[in-house]
Amino acid sequence: DNKFDKKPDSIGISCGGPLDSKRGVVMSPPNLPLWDNVSICEILSEHFGAPTKLQNDANACALAEHRLGAGRGVDNMVFLTFGTGLGAGLIIGGKLYEGANGNAGELGHIRLAECGPIGYGKTGSFEGFCSGGGIAQLGYFAAKEEFDKGNHLPYFYPEKPLGGISAKILAEAARDGDPTATEVYRLCGEYLGKGLSVIIDLLNPERIVIGSIFARSGDLLIPEMKKQLYKEALPCSVEVCDIVPASLGENIGDYAA
């Protein structure tokens, strides 16, 4: 028998917010253009004939890491996506905290500076400084400044969108000793520390688990991040909070759904 001929028992959807998990509606996420108030649970439930549930991806990943990954054994944990965008899932008292309509933890929307890269529709937002797109913007502006001075960086192509720069390209250049790329990651680490300080002061978590870019490039971010934590957050709260990379790797989205 073809397994795809069988009706699924249920369907789980892990998706970037904002969304309404109770109604099963996707509500215009910045990384899903034209997905404006899409009743995705109703659509899939009718098509497959199976109950369908929707959850914010950061919330779903937080549950996955809490039950199966780097968050096991703690009652108060925050998970940050730190990938295409920046969202957070909050585990408080051992349970997922969703807020009034499922949009708790949208930390990427917090503005950390008046000027800066754009993320979540805001200049200088947490997501602007700490996401793949934000790091690429930081790299583009830094490389463009060097280019205008007559210094052409080997990873910068002015004719391409954002100069052909990505977070991965900058991480490789930083590890090879490129000062411009190193400074971009230092700046990202600085604002990561500032953003985490708000989380630590507000929620006093035992553990913060960070995925994607942090899991791959934490060595470039942690030194400046730690400086900012001890500068900005309550020392007694910093001391009891472990900040660790997600442990479910590239399969975390599957576990989350």
Side-chain angles (χ1 to χ4, degrees):
D1 290 343
N2 187 330
K3 63 181 179 180
F4 295 109
D5 290 337
K6 298 179 181 178
K7 187 181 80 171
D9 294 324
S10 59
I11 299 170
I13 306 168
S14 172
C15 179
L19 51 80
D20 189 327
S21 59
K22 293 177 182 177
R23 295 192 299 123
V25 177
V26 177
M27 302 161 58
S28 307
N31 297 314
L32 286 175
L34 304 182
W35 281 63
D36 301 327
N37 296 312
V38 176
S39 299
I40 188 65
C41 286
E42 180 182 336
I43 293 168
L44 292 186
S45 181
E46 289 181 359
H47 182 79
F48 289 102
T52 304
K53 295 293 184 181
L54 170 69
Q55 185 55 268
N56 178 286
D57 59 348
N59 287 350
C61 287
L63 283 171
E65 285 288 343
H66 184 243
R67 296 180 181 178
L68 304 169
R72 286 178 293 182
V74 301
D75 288 330
N76 300 290
M77 182 202 99
V78 176
F79 173 82
L80 269 68
T81 55
F82 203 161
T84 306
L86 182 77
L90 311 176
I91 304 293
I92 299 175
K95 297 180 179 180
L96 177 67
Y97 177 76
E98 297 185 71
N101 67 351
N103 288 302
E106 292 293 358
L107 299 175
H109 196 245
I110 295 172
R111 197 189 307 274
L112 296 180
E114 284 302 313
C115 298
I118 298 171
Y120 217 136
K122 275 187 179 178
T123 57
S125 66
F126 197 173
E127 182 170 298
F129 285 103
C130 297
S131 66
I135 291 172
Q137 289 177 66
L138 288 170
Y140 170 77
F141 293 127
K144 180 69 163 53
E145 185 175 343
E146 289 298 313
F147 181 79
D148 291 342
K149 293 177 183 176
N151 303 319
H152 185 72
L153 302 175
Y155 50 82
F156 178 64
Y157 300 92
E159 71 280 2
K160 293 185 178 181
L162 284 178
I165 290 175
S166 67
K168 180 180 179 182
I169 287 171
L170 287 172
E172 292 170 351
R175 292 194 178 100
D176 287 339
D178 179 81
T180 300
T182 300
E183 172 59 17
V184 166
Y185 268 91
R186 188 207 66 77
L187 187 62
C188 179
E190 175 185 334
Y191 279 91
L192 177 61
K194 290 180 178 180
L196 293 182
S197 296
V198 175
I199 298 170
I200 289 172
D201 281 349
L202 182 65
L203 297 176
N204 189 205
E206 301 161 72
R207 192 168 299 162
I208 297 176
V209 179
I210 313 179
S212 298
I213 291 171
F214 184 85
R216 293 190 292 267
S217 303
D219 57 311
L220 302 173
L221 299 164
I222 288 173
E224 191 63 33
M225 177 195 79
K226 285 186 174 180
K227 287 182 185 178
Q228 293 299 317
L229 287 175
Y230 283 100
K231 178 182 176 183
E232 299 290 344
L234 285 169
C236 58
S237 296
V238 175
E239 291 294 341
V240 299
C241 181
D242 294 325
I243 299 173
V244 300
S247 66
L248 297 179
E250 300 303 322
N251 293 324
I252 188 170
D254 300 329
Y255 288 110

